[in-house]
């Protein structure tokens, strides 16, 4: 067993390899100070409602790290729409069981008062990186993400942090955050985990009906066909039209389809060797995003 038992906190279960659960910053930091010296700490920040995509991040972390920390915190600051926040799925007991099963070492699960003990005055500005796509349609979203991640990075002090490529723009923002604020950690972006239908795994999928889940698979079908059109023609308008046709046939309302430079996220010049097609849309009132990287 890698971690010694700490009697100040309750183990989630009594299996041999215990996952320790903390909800207080001080107790969690004390534990790390005491038991993590010289360890490679892998960190997977989440908002819970865990799915295979999150568990894959944890498995990746377990390959290279000797302590894996997962945080669950539904961060109010990154929701520009209060009803989206209210409807965000919360499945704490199931999440704990899943993490226990894959032998996550430490779970940090603070409440909002613990994280935001005082009003945050600081504001992040990621420039053009946040003026497009998610940043444009969800004003303040990346400021909220950057604030909570900065706090979590200070609390956990990870060696490596893991993010899923489904949130392509978030990955670009986090990379900037880590570089600009000299956080001493490596960031690994892990490819999107998909359902057999191609649908990108997302906590929000839990809000879709069975019919919705099947319709939502047309997002990746559209992106895949769009990729073919882009490869064959390099024509961005035709590519977007093709994707739009496919998703609209499945009753998905498009919010945006953008073809961007993967580094800057600005609209891609037609001579680029690599582009990313990003999608956001609504189905059954649920906002879904996905992307595909295209090598040309
Ligand atoms: O991707 C998410 O789940 C969230 O944006 C994150 C990174 C946990 C920050 O709240």
């Amino acid at each position: 067993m890698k971690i010694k038992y700490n009697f100040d906190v309750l183990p989630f279960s009594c299996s041999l390899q215990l996952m320790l659960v903390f909800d207080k910053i001080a107790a969690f930091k004390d534990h790390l100070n005491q038991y993590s010296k010289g360890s490679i700490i892998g960190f997977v920040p989440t908002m819970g409602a865990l799915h295979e995509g999150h568990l894959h991040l944890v498995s990746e972390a377990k390959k290279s790290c000797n302590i894996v920390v997962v945080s669950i915190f539904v961060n109010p600051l990154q929701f520009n729409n209060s009803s989206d926040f209210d409807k965000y799925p919360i499945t704490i007991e199931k999440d704990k069981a899943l993490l226990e099963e894959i032998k996550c070492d430490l779970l940090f699960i603070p409440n909002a008062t613990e994280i935001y003990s005082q009003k945050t005055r600081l504001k992040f500005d990621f420039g053009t990186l946040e003026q497009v796509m998610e940043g444009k349609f969800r004003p303040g979203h990346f400021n909220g993400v950057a604030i909570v991640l900065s706090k979590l990075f200070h609390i956990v002090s990870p060696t490596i942090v893991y993010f899923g490529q489904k949130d392509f723009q978030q990955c670009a923002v986090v990379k900037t955050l880590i570089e600009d604020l000299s956080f001493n950690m490596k960031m690994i972006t892990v490819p999107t985990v998909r359902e057999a239908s191609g649908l990108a795994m997302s906590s929000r999928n839990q809000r879709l009906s069975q019919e919705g889940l099947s319709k939502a698979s047309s997002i990746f079908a559209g992106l895949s066909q769009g990729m073919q059109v882009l490869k064959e023609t390099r024509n961005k308008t035709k590519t977007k039209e093709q994707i739009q046709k496919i998703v609209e046939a499945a009753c998905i309302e498009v919010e945006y389809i953008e073809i961007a430079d993967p580094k800057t996220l600005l609209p891609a010049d037609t001579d680029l060797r690599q582009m990313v097609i990003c999608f956001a849309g609504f189905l059954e009132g649920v906002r879904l995003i996905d992307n595909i990287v295209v090598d040309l």
Side-chain angles (χ1 to χ4, degrees):
M1 198 170 88
K2 283 173 266 170
I3 295 170
K4 289 183 200 156
Y5 184 62
N6 176 350
F7 287 96
D8 292 342
V9 291
L10 285 175
F12 171 64
S13 91
C14 294
S15 65
L16 200 58
Q17 180 121 11
L18 300 171
M19 176 175 78
L20 301 182
V21 183
F22 296 83
D23 60 1
K24 294 285 182 279
I25 297 171
F28 179 61
K29 281 172 89 164
D30 278 354
H31 178 85
L32 283 178
N33 284 338
Q34 226 175 326
Y35 298 112
S36 76
K37 292 243 157 46
S39 297
I40 300 173
I41 303 180
F43 178 38
V44 180
T46 81
M47 297 206 296
L50 302 182
H51 51 70
E52 285 297 322
H54 295 115
L55 301 183
H56 183 57
L57 296 179
V58 176
S59 305
E60 285 301 301
K62 285 189 76 72
K63 285 183 194 162
S64 327
C65 307
N66 36 15
I67 297 182
V68 176
V69 179
V70 170
S71 65
I72 295 181
F73 178 63
V74 185
N75 174 30
L77 222 63
Q78 70 186 75
F79 287 81
N80 58 312
N81 174 334
S82 59
S83 96
D84 195 23
F85 175 65
D86 293 340
K87 287 184 195 153
Y88 203 84
I90 311 245
T91 55
I92 300 294
E93 291 313 313
K94 188 174 154 228
D95 293 351
K96 282 180 179 169
L98 288 170
L99 291 171
E100 177 86 349
E101 206 177 306
I102 58 162
K103 302 196 179 339
C104 167
D105 298 302
L106 303 176
L107 171 61
F108 180 52
I109 185 162
N111 66 20
T113 323
E114 186 70 8
I115 291 290
Y116 296 115
S117 53
Q118 62 174 47
K119 194 173 169 349
T120 312
R121 291 144 297 181
L122 191 68
K123 287 257 185 296
F124 282 89
D125 180 353
F126 291 94
T128 53
L129 211 51
E130 66 164 73
Q131 286 158 16
V132 292
M133 303 190 283
E134 293 304 284
K136 179 171 161 195
F137 286 93
R138 303 181 69 189
H141 170 66
F142 288 123
N143 177 58
V145 170
I147 288 192
V148 80
L149 286 179
S150 303
K151 285 173 179 273
L152 291 169
F153 289 169
H154 284 302
I155 295 165
V156 180
S157 297
T159 323
I160 314 179
V161 278
Y162 294 82
F163 290 90
Q165 192 192 310
K166 185 181 79 76
D167 297 299
F168 197 91
Q169 193 170 4
Q170 172 168 278
C171 291
V173 164
V174 177
K175 184 171 177 287
T176 306
L177 178 75
I178 290 174
E179 287 172 1
D180 283 15
L181 293 187
S182 308
F183 279 111
N184 185 19
M185 61 192 66
K186 182 177 166 192
M187 173 181 167
I188 294 190
T189 303
V190 179
T192 305
V193 179
R194 299 183 179 280
E195 304 284 354
S197 67
L199 174 64
M201 299 242 179
S202 164
S203 305
R204 289 166 198 267
N205 294 353
Q206 298 184 21
R207 291 175 48 206
L208 293 172
S209 67
Q210 277 309 314
E211 195 191 351
L213 281 170
S214 134
K215 284 180 172 167
S217 64
S218 69
I219 297 173
F220 188 60
L223 287 172
S224 304
Q225 288 201 31
M227 173 167 81
Q228 288 314 321
V229 175
L230 192 61
K231 277 179 185 272
E232 280 157 24
T233 66
R234 278 190 175 262
N235 185 316
K236 293 196 289 177
T237 309
K238 272 195 188 151
T239 304
K240 288 185 193 183
E241 280 170 1
Q242 177 69 10
I243 299 168
Q244 183 153 0
K245 198 172 89 186
I246 293 169
V247 296
E248 284 184 351
C251 306
I252 296 169
E253 186 195 323
V254 175
E255 186 169 66
Y256 64 74
I257 300 168
E258 294 295 348
I259 303 177
D261 177 335
K263 291 206 170 70
T264 62
L265 297 187
L266 293 174
D269 288 335
T270 34
D271 58 349
L272 272 185
R273 304 290 298 270
Q274 194 179 62
M275 302 184 191
V276 57
I277 312 177
C278 297
F279 172 90
F282 290 89
L283 176 64
E284 297 179 341
V286 182
R287 189 170 185 277
L288 300 168
I289 62 169
D290 200 356
N291 63 77
I292 197 164
V293 174
V294 186
D295 290 310
L296 295 147

